Amino acid sequence: MAVTKRRNRFDFLTKKFPKRMQEKLVMVFMAVVLAFVALIGKITYINASKGSGYTKIVLEQQQYDSRAIPYKRGDIVDCNGTRIATSERVYNVILDVYVMLSEEEYAKPTMEVLESLFGIPKETVQGIIEERPDSRYEILAKKISYEKAQEFEAIEEDEEQYPVVRGIWLEEDYQRSYPYGSLASDVIGFVVGTNEGAIGIESAYNDILNGTNGREYGYFNDDASIERTVKAAKNGNTVVSTIDLTLQSMVEQCIREFNEAHAGEARPGQLGSKNTAVMIMNPNTGAILAEASYPDFDLNNPRDLSILYSEEQWKAMSEEEQLNAMNDLWRNFCVSDTFEPGSTVKPMTVAAGLESGTLQGDETYGCYGSLHVGDYDISCHQRAGHGTETVQDAVAFSCNVAMMHMAEKIGVDNFLRYQHIFGFGEYTDIDLPGEAYTEGLLFTKENMLDVNLATCSFGQGFNATMTQVAAAFCSLVNGGYYYQPHVVKQIQDGDGKVVEIKDPVLLRKTISAETSQQIKPYLRAVMEYGTGINAMVPGYDIGGKTGTAEKLPREAENYVLSFIGCAPLENPEVVVYVVIDEPNVARQETSQYVLELSQKIMSQAFPYLNITMKEDYVPPETAAEDETQPADASQDEYTSYSENYEETYDNQDGAYIDENYDPDLDGWAEGMPVEYEVPYPDEYME
């Protein structure tokens, strides 16, 4: 049956196609087969005899016409648009060894150009030739300037003098540059590797500053002409900081002069202080206008630690010691270091009492040099005592005894509650990396004894950062509004178009407007007749507070001096916070050092910022010095607050850095836990 069907099919085909046509079909088929065989043979011959030549053409085209187009990392600019960090176009010198060796006459003149123009020794090139003669991509030099690139371009075009220079090409790249060197080094930061921010804004806003590489593809079309397809690079965005470059420069100059004046004074071979730091903030937005610390470092050469070590000292250090030294220098003191804040927090103790209703503000206290708390006699810095004093006098004269009386009345629960309300023990969520973890540096209800409550009332027994103290003080004087501290105000694209605005973020209310208003006369008294009198700047209504904190271990007699103030007091426009950690002087506890530095900074910063002056102020025609000045309350001898107090608080180095801290720069901060929130007064409710 099957055989019959096949025969029927054959009969059909023979009937459909005559014999002559069948022969023609067979001939065509054979011709096609022979053509394919010939083509395969030709391809095999070409590949065997001239394949390397064609490969060279293709690869050369890939190297010269198919390349990555690097993006430009975004600039960092100050609040006025001045570039603080930028990326400059540079070039990498690439050698195509295979092309250079493709003809015998290419090698010598090519190596001569590499040596004469780019300073690349012939021995270096010879070594590469021996090891990788077929290499198509060897980086011989990086970061070549635009001027050198122009010289090479002229050589490429000069066919008469350089007819056989082959295999060299320049790859475009960018180099990070910091036009102002060490200015705002802690805040700006620097990059490592391939555009990876290491610290500061460079790190916190790394993804925003970075872009995406482009690509240029080149190939031959049917007419043997080059076709190019370009995928453009996407440059990074520009970060506009809140830092004012001129103000920053003023502050850093004052800090530098202080440290140069006291370098080697009490501790030979050391700087004028262990750390000197300054923060200037807008209390109504949380914007940081200047943030500086000393010692600093050159952003263009961050691994140069010659400010701290001689060449011999540096070479004698192990690799681990060198790494630790660099990390210590790069750490932002204002954000990452903690210390006992001392008396700068006394106004917040008073505010906690007023706000909780445990104080009215009309109380009086008797200070006779010390107070017995628990099993200890805790001293006031004025060993002779202040006598009878009001709440205002207690703040003005920075009386420890009065503060301890207030804390006893406030109680542990309210005191701890307002510590957290003012942001101590909490992240401020500042948009800079490495913010110190301080939650474990505060007492809790379970472990705070009466003696701990007493010492914490005047700023010893717990640690804080400069950023925490500054943000808390801003809320103290601006009506109770706690704004998130920040160093960036907006993001722009490469054309200068604003793509994101970092609006001020109000995190919470700390105190009522009434309490804030009640505190202000106390701060004014500090400047008019109290411990801050020598920081006063004529013509300005300043409120402030001094601080002198004895560091652990107490027997070492090392101190942190501080001053924080605002102007004009009734409607503050600026807050200035100055800290000197272990001044290199014989008597570290002498507050005059920080007062003089603060006065110098404010006397320059206030006119520049156009801070409102007193309406009735008349500038003196002459600056005659009064030789009969009254005794200076700020010069009272500072002594340990307790001779027999056994310290239960332990934070020897004062450095607490949370390596896992990762601020949410998109959503910024969340609110405080419910138990720490302060209800808005009725007048602020809508």
Side-chain angles (χ1 to χ4, degrees):
M1 186 71 175
V3 174
T4 305
K5 287 183 178 180
R6 282 197 295 272
R7 285 177 177 174
N8 290 339
R9 284 199 197 97
F10 181 75
D11 292 341
F12 171 76
L13 290 173
T14 54
K15 291 177 182 178
K16 181 98 175 157
F17 297 101
K19 184 175 183 181
R20 181 175 296 177
M21 186 171 289
Q22 292 178 32
E23 292 175 353
K24 287 182 179 181
L25 287 172
V26 171
M27 291 177 64
V28 170
F29 175 75
M30 292 299 296
V32 171
V33 171
L34 289 174
F36 271 110
V37 171
L39 180 60
I40 292 171
K42 185 67 173 177
I43 291 173
T44 303
Y45 170 76
I46 291 174
N47 188 55
S49 61
K50 300 181 181 181
S52 62
Y54 281 103
T55 300
K56 187 178 90 171
I57 292 173
V58 172
L59 289 177
E60 282 187 28
Q61 187 61 34
Q62 288 177 342
Q63 294 293 340
Y64 289 101
D65 291 296
S66 295
R67 62 184 183 85
I69 302 174
Y71 67 83
K72 180 179 183 292
R73 185 175 171 93
D75 293 338
I76 301 174
V77 301
D78 85 333
C79 61
N80 298 310
T82 303
R83 286 187 179 87
I84 310 175
T86 188
S87 294
E88 299 176 344
R89 187 183 294 276
V90 292
Y91 301 85
N92 300 330
V93 179
I94 311 299
L95 177 63
D96 188 327
V97 183
Y98 187 86
V99 170
M100 184 182 69
L101 299 179
S102 62
E103 298 290 342
E104 186 177 347
E105 60 181 346
Y106 293 168
K108 183 178 179 181
T110 301
M111 285 191 286
E112 288 176 350
V113 168
L114 288 172
E115 186 170 35
S116 62
L117 183 59
F118 302 116
I120 302 168
K122 293 180 181 178
E123 294 76 13
T124 301
V125 181
Q126 288 287 1
I128 295 173
I129 291 174
E130 294 174 5
E131 294 179 7
R132 298 179 293 278
D134 294 326
S135 175
R136 309 308 303 256
Y137 184 87
E138 292 289 336
I139 302 176
L140 299 184
K142 292 184 176 182
K143 315 303 182 186
I144 298 300
S145 67
Y146 175 75
E147 289 73 22
K148 284 289 183 184
Q150 291 293 96
E151 291 182 45
F152 176 70
E153 186 176 332
I155 289 175
E156 278 193 310
E157 295 174 354
D158 190 347
E159 291 292 337
E160 294 184 7
Q161 190 173 352
Y162 303 97
V164 288
V165 174
R166 296 289 187 274
I168 305 173
W169 58 283
L170 300 183
E171 178 183 66
E172 292 183 354
D173 200 356
Y174 288 95
Q175 178 177 334
R176 203 63 168 165
S177 173
Y178 304 92
Y180 296 94
S182 63
L183 199 66
S185 55
D186 289 342
V187 179
I188 302 306
F190 57 91
V191 297
V192 295
T194 56
N195 284 330
E196 185 67 28
I199 62 172
I201 293 175
E202 292 277 29
S203 174
Y205 288 85
N206 187 67
D207 293 341
I208 290 172
L209 289 163
N210 274 345
T212 306
N213 283 336
R215 192 81 188 177
E216 181 180 24
Y217 302 92
Y219 58 92
F220 288 107
N221 61 17
D222 294 339
D223 299 327
S225 60
I226 297 177
E227 294 285 348
R228 285 185 172 86
T229 300
V230 177
K231 179 183 178 182
K234 184 181 184 300
N235 293 332
N237 288 329
T238 294
V239 172
V240 182
S241 74
T242 59
I243 299 296
D244 186 309
L245 205 60
T246 302
L247 183 65
Q248 181 80 21
S249 182
M250 290 178 182
V251 169
E252 293 195 15
Q253 180 64 23
C254 292
I255 291 176
R256 189 173 295 108
E257 289 174 356
F258 170 83
N259 278 272
E260 290 173 353
H262 298 287
E265 186 172 319
R267 301 186 295 271
Q270 295 187 28
L271 302 176
S273 66
K274 184 178 179 180
N275 287 288
T276 305
V278 176
M279 292 182 68
I280 299 181
M281 291 180 65
N282 181 337
N284 304 306
T285 64
I288 297 173
L289 310 180
E291 181 177 300
S293 64
Y294 187 91
D296 54 15
F297 56 93
D298 185 355
L299 291 170
N300 292 302
N301 189 13
R303 290 172 177 79
D304 177 13
L305 271 66
S306 58
I307 190 174
L308 297 174
Y309 306 98
S310 66
E311 186 176 353
E312 294 76 17
Q313 290 174 320
W314 184 252
K315 289 181 178 179
M317 297 168 67
S318 67
E319 185 175 340
E320 183 179 357
E321 289 173 333
Q322 290 179 347
L323 181 60
N324 290 335
M326 286 188 287
N327 286 329
D328 287 343
L329 183 61
W330 296 340
R331 193 168 66 209
N332 187 338
F333 180 85
C334 299
V335 174
S336 300
D337 280 32
T338 71
F339 54 91
E340 292 173 281
S343 297
T344 52
V345 302
K346 286 178 178 176
M348 298 161 205
T349 297
V350 176
L354 296 173
E355 192 69 16
S356 63
T358 54
L359 297 178
Q360 301 302 316
D362 56 359
E363 294 85 355
T364 58
Y365 304 94
C367 173
Y368 305 104
S370 67
L371 183 68
H372 188 78
V373 181
D375 297 327
Y376 306 100
D377 291 319
I378 302 178
S379 302
C380 184
H381 72 88
Q382 177 78 344
R383 283 301 180 91
H386 292 105
T388 302
E389 56 189 349
T390 63
V391 174
Q392 176 173 299
D393 291 339
V395 176
F397 296 128
S398 199
C399 179
N400 290 350
V401 171
M403 291 298 144
M404 290 187 280
H405 280 302
M406 294 181 201
E408 182 183 14
K409 195 74 179 293
I410 293 169
V412 170
D413 287 347
N414 279 324
F415 187 86
L416 291 177
R417 179 168 175 255
Y418 275 91
Q419 271 195 316
H420 285 281
I421 287 172
F422 277 115
F424 299 116
E426 311 286 338
Y427 282 130
T428 66
D429 274 343
I430 186 174
D431 51 342
L432 286 174
E435 183 173 14
Y437 171 77
T438 60
E439 182 180 353
L441 305 182
L442 271 65
F443 286 101
T444 64
K445 183 179 179 180
E446 289 70 30
N447 63 16
M448 178 174 260
L449 306 176
D450 289 343
V451 67
N452 305 132
L453 175 62
T455 56
C456 286
S457 71
F458 52 82
Q460 300 227 205
F462 72 95
N463 270 38
T465 66
M466 281 190 70
T467 306
Q468 287 175 330
V469 176
F473 188 84
C474 285
S475 76
L476 189 73
V477 299
N478 71 4
Y481 300 98
Y482 190 101
Y483 287 97
Q484 180 181 5
H486 60 280
V487 295
V488 170
K489 69 175 186 177
Q490 61 180 222
I491 309 298
Q492 299 177 355
D493 63 17
D495 297 324
K497 180 182 177 182
V498 177
V499 296
E500 183 179 359
I501 296 177
K502 298 290 187 181
D503 291 321
V505 178
L506 177 61
L507 297 181
R508 59 187 175 274
K509 282 279 286 184
T510 56
I511 56 176
S512 66
E514 290 80 5
T515 297
S516 176
Q517 199 65 25
Q518 193 170 353
I519 289 289
K520 289 179 180 180
Y522 309 160
L523 301 176
R524 181 181 288 113
V526 172
M527 307 302 293
E528 290 183 343
Y529 63 86
T531 57
I533 190 171
N534 285 344
M536 198 64 186
V537 180
Y540 295 94
D541 181 24
I542 303 174
K545 187 68 191 75
T546 57
T548 305
E550 190 177 12
K551 298 178 65 174
L552 290 170
R554 309 298 186 197
E555 61 271 13
E557 297 186 349
N558 291 320
Y559 293 84
V560 177
L561 306 179
S562 58
F563 170 83
I564 192 164
C566 65
L569 182 57
E570 287 306 316
N571 188 22
E573 299 166 8
V574 66
V575 165
V576 178
Y577 186 24
V578 181
V579 171
I580 304 176
D581 181 15
E582 296 185 25
N584 193 355
V585 296
R587 297 287 301 275
Q588 290 186 24
E589 70 275 16
T590 306
S591 62
Q592 188 61 25
Y593 296 109
V594 74
L595 294 175
E596 290 177 352
L597 179 57
S598 301
Q599 199 274 347
K600 188 175 183 179
I601 291 171
M602 291 189 294
S603 64
Q604 295 182 34
F606 288 179
Y608 170 73
L609 294 172
N610 198 27
I611 301 302
T612 303
M613 301 183 71
K614 295 178 180 177
E615 292 183 2
D616 57 350
Y617 176 68
V618 179
E621 294 182 1
T622 60
E625 294 185 1
D626 186 357
E627 297 181 358
T628 60
Q629 291 180 348
D632 181 8
S634 68
Q635 295 306 301
D636 291 333
E637 179 180 349
Y638 185 92
T639 56
S640 174
Y641 57 78
S642 175
E643 293 182 345
N644 64 346
Y645 173 48
E646 296 177 7
E647 188 67 63
T648 61
Y649 178 68
D650 184 20
N651 176 27
Q652 299 288 349
D653 58 12
Y656 288 83
I657 302 175
D658 185 359
E659 301 294 347
N660 298 318
Y661 174 60
D662 185 16
D664 179 8
L665 300 182
D666 294 324
W668 286 53
E670 298 293 336
M672 289 286 288
V674 174
E675 61 267 28
Y676 298 141
E677 291 182 356
V678 181
Y680 281 77
D682 293 339
E683 61 267 35
Y684 297 110
M685 299 294 290
E686 294 182 357

